[in-house]
């Protein structure tokens, strides 16, 4: 939008897009457009950037801008809208942490990847009597870890919403040993924190959001030290963000896309499409941003995990 590098997505150009992940346009929410930095601090996009965007939209003769993304991208969308850009939003992030929608697209595909990783890690864990730690993404929300952890038969799930203690994690490993289960699968969300501890992160650029990652290594080292059991770590990283989307995600993004076009036709700028099963609905973008949707600690998901004997490290 800033440098007028564009591609017309006409009827023929859209062929073969459905089975791809990522962005074919190369759009980004970082750099000059960034509206979020650090641990979610909101930054006002400079006026000249918004003005340039508006000029370019006019020059291209666009009726509206469809902003597809998570909290960072939709915070940009809202700021553009407040400064006169006709915008509609579409919720897309693997983190599933947007308010106002039951699900974002990308999440189901990331969970499928993490669940598959757990299935694969189980083989080595079981064969060689090891503790295997799988670190997954999700930023400040434990949705990927909780969904994949339960679906993939994890024994311990560590999420940002529930600070964990090593005594509790090691007690679960010991309990399994007593029952003759000589291996343990631990799923740790990148934003998980030990009780009283901070995020594990790489020092980042001040113009972008903090880069979380590395907690899996920390957990593995401490567990090995305390239990004496061989403990290995696998960081799933960007594998979760690539490859073919699941059927669910293909359907969800298609429904969202059709609804977004309807919003433009109805002139509903400043709105985002959202999933409220069984329907897609329109909500104000402001309802989706500003506060992250995290895993409810007393909700059905965590209760289901606990009922199965999964430890959340608390
Ligand atoms: O928001 C999606 C996400 O994949 C997070 O789960 C993760 O923390 C972050 O993006 C990684 O972003 P990047 O690849 O820019 O470091």
């Amino acid at each position: 939008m800033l440098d007028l590098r564009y591609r017309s997505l006409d009827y023929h150009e859209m062929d073969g897009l459905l089975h791809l992940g990522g962005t074919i346009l190369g759009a980004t929410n970082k750099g000059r457009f960034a509206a979020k930095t650090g641990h979610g601090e909101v930054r006002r996009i400079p006026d000249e950037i918004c003005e340039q965007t508006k000029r370019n939209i006019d020059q291209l003769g666009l009726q509206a801008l469809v902003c597809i993304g998570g909290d960072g991208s939709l915070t940009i969308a809202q700021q553009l809208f407040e400064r006169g850009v006709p915008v509609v939003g579409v919720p897309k992030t693997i983190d599933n942490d947007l308010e106002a929608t039951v699900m974002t697209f990308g999440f189901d595909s990331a969970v499928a990847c993490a669940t598959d990783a757990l299935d694969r890690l189980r083989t080595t864990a079981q064969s060689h009597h090891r503790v295997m730690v799988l670190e997954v993404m999700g930023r400040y929300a434990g949705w990927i870890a909780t969904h994949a952890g339960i679906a993939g038969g994890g024994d311990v799930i560590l999420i940002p919403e529930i600070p964990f203690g090593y005594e509790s994690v090691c007690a679960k490993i010991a309990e399994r040993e007593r029952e003759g289960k000589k291996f343990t699968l631990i799923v740790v969300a990148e934003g998980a924190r030990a009780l009283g501890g901070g995020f594990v992160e790489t020092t980042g650029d001040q113009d972008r959001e903090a880069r979380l990652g590395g907690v899996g290594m920390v957990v593995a080292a401490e567990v090995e030290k305390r239990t004496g059991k061989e403990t290995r770590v696998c960081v799933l990283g960007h594998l979760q963000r690539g490859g073919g989307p699941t059927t669910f995600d293909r359907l969800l993004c298609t429904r969202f896309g059709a609804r977004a076009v309807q919003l433009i036709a109805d002139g509903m700028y400043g709105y985002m499409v959202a999933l409220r099963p069984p329907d897609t609905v329109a909500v104000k973008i402001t309802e989706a941003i500003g506060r992250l949707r995290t895993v409810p600690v007393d909700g059905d998901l965590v209760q289901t995990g606990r009922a199965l004997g999964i430890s959340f490290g608390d």
Side-chain angles (χ1 to χ4, degrees):
M1 290 315 308
L2 282 177
D3 304 327
L4 266 186
R5 281 184 291 121
Y6 64 93
R7 199 166 145 187
S8 300
L9 297 176
D10 62 20
Y11 187 65
H12 297 288
E13 278 280 313
M14 302 301 285
D15 272 352
L17 201 53
L18 199 56
H19 65 278
L20 299 178
T23 161
I24 58 164
L25 294 175
T28 177
N29 61 14
K30 298 181 176 61
R32 292 174 289 175
F33 262 124
K36 285 224 146 177
T37 57
H39 288 290
E41 283 84 62
V42 177
R43 181 173 90 165
R44 186 177 157 85
I45 305 169
D47 288 335
E48 61 273 20
I49 298 283
C50 292
E51 287 311 315
Q52 183 65 38
T53 307
K54 274 160 69 176
R55 275 196 297 278
N56 287 347
I57 285 177
D58 287 345
Q59 191 174 329
L60 290 173
L62 302 183
Q63 186 182 342
L65 191 61
V66 182
C67 292
I68 306 171
D71 187 51
S73 302
L74 292 170
T75 302
I76 296 170
Q78 177 61 22
Q79 290 196 23
L80 290 175
F81 173 66
E82 284 166 9
R83 286 187 253 173
V85 178
V87 160
V88 302
V90 175
K92 181 236 45 158
T93 164
I94 63 164
D95 302 338
N96 201 35
D97 58 356
L98 273 179
E99 281 287 348
T101 184
V102 164
M103 212 174 269
T104 56
F105 78 88
F107 171 65
D108 188 65
S109 304
V111 170
C113 173
T115 305
D116 178 58
L118 278 170
D119 288 349
R120 291 168 188 275
L121 290 175
R122 173 177 296 273
T123 309
T124 296
Q126 205 157 16
S127 302
H128 301 295
H129 296 175
R130 289 179 187 168
V131 176
M132 299 297 284
V133 177
L134 176 69
E135 179 183 310
V136 298
M137 285 183 165
R139 245 192 252 276
Y140 308 106
W143 292 108
I144 299 177
T146 314
H147 277 238
I150 294 174
D155 307 300
V156 178
I157 301 175
L158 306 177
I159 57 175
E161 294 84 348
I162 306 177
F164 65 91
Y166 285 105
E167 304 73 35
S168 178
V169 173
C170 295
K172 181 68 197 174
I173 296 169
E175 178 196 309
R176 288 178 54 77
E177 297 275 319
R178 284 196 301 278
E179 286 167 357
K181 299 188 177 186
K182 304 287 181 204
F183 70 97
T184 296
L185 289 175
I186 301 178
V187 187
V188 54
E190 62 179 1
R193 287 185 284 179
L195 277 160
F199 293 116
V200 181
E201 60 187 300
T202 324
T203 325
D205 180 338
Q206 59 177 19
D207 287 333
R208 53 178 287 167
E209 286 197 85
R211 197 186 301 168
L212 299 176
V215 65
M217 198 65 96
V218 175
V219 167
E222 190 62 28
V223 163
E224 185 165 276
K225 195 169 93 192
R226 289 181 183 233
T227 63
K229 278 193 76 72
E230 183 171 6
T231 305
R232 298 291 185 88
V233 61
C234 169
V235 181
L236 207 46
H238 295 87
L239 289 176
Q240 290 156 99
R241 295 207 316 207
T246 57
T247 308
F248 180 89
D249 271 340
R250 293 176 195 210
L251 187 58
L252 185 60
C253 73
T254 303
R255 291 173 72 194
F256 279 166
R259 183 80 191 209
V261 173
Q262 189 61 51
L263 291 192
I264 296 171
D266 294 342
M268 291 181 69
Y269 303 126
Y271 279 78
M272 179 189 92
V273 298
L275 181 66
R276 298 263 171 87
D279 297 315
T280 56
V281 296
V283 296
K284 286 203 165 131
I285 295 176
T286 47
E287 284 179 43
I289 57 174
R291 199 169 69 101
L292 290 180
R293 194 171 72 91
T294 51
V295 177
V297 295
D298 296 321
D300 167 77
L301 205 55
V302 172
Q303 275 177 18
T304 300
R306 292 198 196 280
L308 292 171
I310 293 171
S311 164
F312 285 84
D314 54 343

